[in-house]
Amino acid sequence: MSLSTSVSGEDPLRSLVRASHHLPASRLATVAAEHAALLGAREAVIYLADYAQHALVPLAGEGVPERHEVTIDGSTAGRAFRRVEPVRSPGDGPARLWLPMLDGAERIGVVELVTDDEPDERFTEEALTFASLLAEITVTRDAYSDHFARLRRRKPLGLAAEIQWDLLPPLTYASDRVVITGALEPAYDIGGDTFDYAANDPWVDLMVLDAVGHGLPAALLSTAAVGAYRHGRRSGRPLVEIAAAMDAVIAGQFPESRFATAALARLDKRSGVLEWVNCGHPEPLIVRDGALIHPPSCRPARPLGLQAVPPELCSTQLRPGDRVVLYTDGVVEARSPSGEFFGEERLADLIVRAEGAGETPPETMRRLMGSVMQHQEGQLQDDASIVMVEWRTGSEDALRL
């Protein structure tokens, strides 16, 4: 099947761009189905990933066939999401093609296209572009509508979690030199854990933070800390000064010795030099050539809000392909019902095995946090947050996120 079989001479992508200018979020599913018909598809359904990335939830609309949510693990739609590639449903009858929706490297969901004929290469390429355009429209509409946020909730979101999710950057960013991806759990009840990053040539900045306590008080503390972090970062300050500014905000605004542990890192994309400051936090981990590498020993400072002297600036030289992992203690200190810690070695082993299996970095993080939840049988005693950056030379396969 090719685009030449379409009964309309109108270009579906240009038409969709024009239609998107004043498109409300509630009509996206309908307009997507109408424009998919210009591609030659008789049905089109958008599925968005829920907050925990466990399920794909269909977006309903006038003229859109009714569908039910499907699991990301164990479904054909989920395979397209996990592997970030088109997947054809097996079986006889109409052809069913599943396509990942990507905003840059961020996985938004999938699009299901049903066609009468077998999709050819040209159709599939156009359909991938169509799905990417739908992802961009979804992201822009999400910025000023609650429609998609409501759809993605499989259960009520706690107030603290609401604050934290609005605070987060996209879960994944990728360029030819770095891939950054993060995750946090419990997705619907997260409190004081968070992460942040920014890619500003020639540096990449990353931060993971764990505010003391739970619920709303912890979320408010972490919000103030992230605000101070972004203010310092955007002012071009060095890491030590940014940490000092965060310390001053927490100490000045939150009484009763409230504090946060944090790791702030800065990677020079040109040279692979990694700098960081450790404020009462677990040390960064480096996964290199299938093995766990501890960076050079560096004395940690006191937590933010309790510092008496500035933290020490640490540094190490990365090798191409190294993955640096910053995480909160809720990841490695997650306990099974028998009392066994999740631990650093298990964390590194999961990353290594996922890499060996060809998993993309965002899929690695999704599976890792799922393993943390399973280790505690779905009941975390503490929030868990993680962010990982992979440094590249720029010559790697562009399809590997």
Side-chain angles (χ1 to χ4, degrees):
M1 172 185 180
S2 68
L3 290 179
S4 61
T5 62
S6 174
V7 296
S8 171
E10 187 173 17
D11 180 87
L13 301 180
R14 292 180 181 177
S15 177
L16 180 57
V17 169
R18 288 197 301 271
S20 72
H21 294 320
H22 300 285
L23 178 65
S26 60
R27 278 191 46 79
L28 177 59
T30 297
V31 170
E34 291 171 352
H35 285 77
L38 300 177
L39 284 174
R42 73 180 193 185
E43 292 181 7
V45 181
I46 295 171
Y47 294 73
L48 300 182
D50 81 309
Y51 279 95
Q53 294 193 335
H54 293 160
L56 293 166
V57 186
L59 188 60
E62 183 180 352
V64 179
E66 184 177 352
R67 294 289 192 271
H68 300 287
E69 72 174 49
V70 296
T71 60
I72 289 177
D73 293 300
S75 70
T76 305
R79 183 182 174 194
F81 181 87
R82 297 191 312 269
R83 301 186 64 174
V84 196
E85 64 183 21
V87 175
R88 163 83 156 84
S89 290
D92 300 326
R96 199 175 302 270
L97 185 65
W98 302 89
L99 304 134
M101 293 174 62
L102 296 174
D103 174 41
E106 169 78 345
R107 300 180 298 180
I108 304 299
V110 299
V111 179
E112 174 195 9
L113 296 181
V114 179
T115 60
D116 290 319
D117 303 315
E118 187 69 25
D120 62 14
E121 184 176 349
R122 183 186 175 197
F123 176 86
T124 301
E125 287 298 318
E126 290 287 337
L128 279 169
T129 304
F130 180 73
S132 293
L133 180 54
L134 288 177
E136 299 283 350
I137 296 172
T138 301
V139 170
T140 57
R141 296 307 176 273
D142 194 40
Y144 50 78
S145 171
D146 295 328
H147 187 71
F148 303 133
R150 290 171 178 163
L151 178 76
R152 295 176 58 216
R153 300 175 188 211
R154 300 179 71 220
K155 63 180 183 179
L157 205 66
L159 177 57
E162 189 87 59
I163 293 171
Q164 293 292 26
W165 276 104
D166 283 344
L167 198 64
L168 286 176
L171 296 182
T172 302
Y173 165 81
S175 72
D176 62 335
R177 305 306 298 270
V178 294
V179 179
I180 306 169
T181 186
L184 74 173
E185 285 284 3
Y188 292 90
D189 296 300
I190 194 78
D193 276 23
T194 193
F195 67 87
D196 197 29
Y197 66 83
N200 299 309
D201 288 338
W203 295 284
V204 169
D205 283 273
L206 308 103
M207 184 271 293
V208 165
L209 181 137
D210 182 359
V212 66
H214 300 280
L216 185 58
L220 294 177
L221 192 154
S222 65
T223 300
V226 170
Y229 170 71
R230 290 175 177 172
H231 181 260
R233 187 186 72 206
R234 291 165 181 169
S235 299
R237 296 181 181 179
L239 290 180
V240 171
E241 291 185 13
I242 296 175
M246 296 171 70
D247 174 76
V249 166
I250 294 173
Q253 300 299 319
F254 296 89
E256 301 176 1
S257 298
R258 295 185 64 82
F259 61 89
T261 67
L264 285 63
R266 179 167 289 166
L267 171 63
D268 188 326
K269 294 190 292 184
R270 301 162 300 182
S271 65
V273 172
L274 178 75
E275 297 181 335
W276 74 95
V277 294
N278 184 343
C279 303
H281 206 72
E283 289 186 346
L285 298 177
I286 299 173
V287 179
R288 174 181 297 160
D289 297 330
L292 174 64
I293 304 294
H294 287 276
S297 179
C298 186
R299 180 174 59 87
R302 299 183 70 183
L304 298 171
L306 303 176
Q307 292 182 357
V309 296
E312 178 181 343
L313 182 65
C314 318
S315 67
T316 191
Q317 175 66 57
L318 299 183
R319 297 179 185 174
D322 280 359
R323 291 181 172 184
V324 180
V325 184
L326 306 178
Y327 60 95
T328 61
D329 57 11
V331 175
V332 294
E333 294 181 4
R335 291 194 182 195
S336 68
S338 63
E340 180 186 8
F341 285 118
F342 191 79
E344 285 184 1
E345 293 296 334
R346 196 190 310 263
L347 168 62
D349 181 64
L350 282 168
I351 294 173
V352 169
R353 285 194 286 112
E355 183 177 19
E359 300 287 1
T360 62
E363 181 60 18
T364 298
M365 286 294 100
R366 191 187 75 86
R367 289 178 177 272
L368 170 62
M369 294 307 270
S371 296
V372 171
M373 294 295 288
Q374 290 175 8
H375 186 73
Q376 294 196 146
E377 297 187 354
Q379 298 295 324
L380 281 178
Q381 287 89 38
D382 192 11
D383 295 344
S385 182
I386 188 167
V387 63
M388 180 177 72
V389 58
E390 177 181 326
W391 180 56
R392 299 176 169 184
T393 64
S395 61
E396 292 83 355
D397 184 353
L399 294 178
R400 192 173 159 261
L401 270 188

